[in-house]
Amino acid sequence: MSDLNHPPDQQPVQEFNATDLTQRFEQLLRTRRLNNLSNLRPRSRSGSPAPQRHASSSSRPHSHHTSRPSDSPAVPPSYSSLRNLPKIASPPQDAASLRFRNQLLTLSVGPTKYENPGLLDEALSVIPLDRIYGEAEDESQLLQAQANSIGDNVKAEWGYQDCVIRALLRWFKRTFFTFVNNPPCPVCASPTVSLGMAPPTPDEAARGAARVELYRCSAGDCRSYERFPRYGDVWALLQTRRGRCGEWANCFSMLCRAVGGRVRWVWNAEDHVWTEVYSEQQKRWIHVDACEEAWDKPRLYTEGWGKKMSYCIAFSNEGATDVTRRYVRNATDHGADRNRAPEEVLLWIMNEIRHMRRESLSKEERRRLIAEDGREEKELRGYVVQALAAEIGRMLPSRPPASGDEQKLPARRSGAAVWREARGENGPASDAPGPSPPREGH
């Protein structure tokens, strides 16, 4: 009977549940944020000096707040994306932040080229539209029939436009584009050996090739040379139809735009790129990786390939968004250091690019995009909360065993096995990469 008189913090450990512990942890985070904001508020009336520029999450000093009682349960690990919220955008000041800003501004230009009418017509001319639309119609009807079998008011998982992109993805991966490791010899088709880099010719540079890889035939009686320009121009890629993940993502994103999809080109600081398309059916952005024929598998890179990722930035003709939280669900296990700029500076850069891309839009269109930004931010924060809840669940002594229902994500499939191993993308066990292969140069 005496247990009924105990305060909540003194109840036996087995009576805690994940919901209660989550609420208490969120209250602790709110208290920290209020204390931090109080410390950062300018004291101009008292004549005190102005506050210093906001530090990044990784260099944030320990906040002074009321500590938890000693008999409280263990606090789950901290997540850098939750610290110092709300963040206040600050312009870049130091050299590293300015370099990062220039890099992101340069990257943001690429997806704007997908709006070229002539390029859109050229892209449509290479797509077998009858085949794509036929497959999309069949899949859309099947998904709707499955939804109707569940209930009258149940929506299909994917809409018709989603099915068009899914059909385009299958055709692009299986028929249209080719992944290049070492290009074959153009004379005898024998394997080639890398000789390093070569300067682009004027024609290659005009088609967006800032880098050219040089190879030599391994056959003793041939010894011919082969150049592999890393084209950045989509028109050139529609002709060559080959490349690595940079060329794949660039060309596939353009084709998605050509069939009417809203498209993002996603850059990852750890040398990978992919596509996002907007689903009107689900009102969210969907991960698409043409190299892997992957649809809506954002945890593929961290939990399947075994990559640790720092920045994932999505660019489109409507702006830029830091979508790292979509792809790095557990920053402790899968996150890499975000040290290229303070988080407040990154937020300022994202806002700057959005303003550049949206300033010519109508007021109604800007309002729609702002509402969409808010929904996406809520989605991204939800992933952090889910990760926290999972960590709390693992800390409970009586937590239920894993159900095993989640689909195991595969290691990387595109590219040669030696190349994948050198990049550390053969799964979580390949955390110690060997000699680094040539980077994609995104």
Side-chain angles (χ1 to χ4, degrees), residues 79 96 104 130 177-178 226 255 314 407 411:
Y79 284 76
L104 295 182
D130 291 342
F177 225 72
T178 301
E226 170 67 349
L255 296 182
Q407 181 181 4

Side-chain angles (χ1 to χ4, degrees), residues 63-82:
S63 60
H64 302 287
H65 57 81
T66 304
S67 60
R68 295 178 60 89
S70 59
D71 57 347
S72 299
V75 177
S78 61
Y79 284 76
S80 60
S81 57
L82 286 178

Side-chain angles (χ1 to χ4, degrees), residues 287-298:
H287 158 255
V288 189
D289 191 320
C291 284
E292 304 297 295
E293 200 179 324
W295 172 270
D296 197 24
K297 295 180 179 178

Side-chain angles (χ1 to χ4, degrees), residues 15-26 389 392-393 396:
E15 295 188 14
F16 282 101
N17 58 57
T19 302
D20 293 339
L21 203 52
T22 300
Q23 292 174 350
R24 294 171 62 185
F25 186 67
E26 289 176 347
I392 292 171
L396 296 177

Side-chain angles (χ1 to χ4, degrees), residues 165-187:
I165 302 297
R166 286 161 63 89
L168 184 70
L169 174 64
R170 292 189 294 268
W171 165 79
F172 188 88
K173 166 69 175 179
R174 303 175 189 181
T175 305
F176 185 72
F177 225 72
T178 301
F179 195 94
V180 173
N181 294 299
N182 286 19
C185 173
V187 176

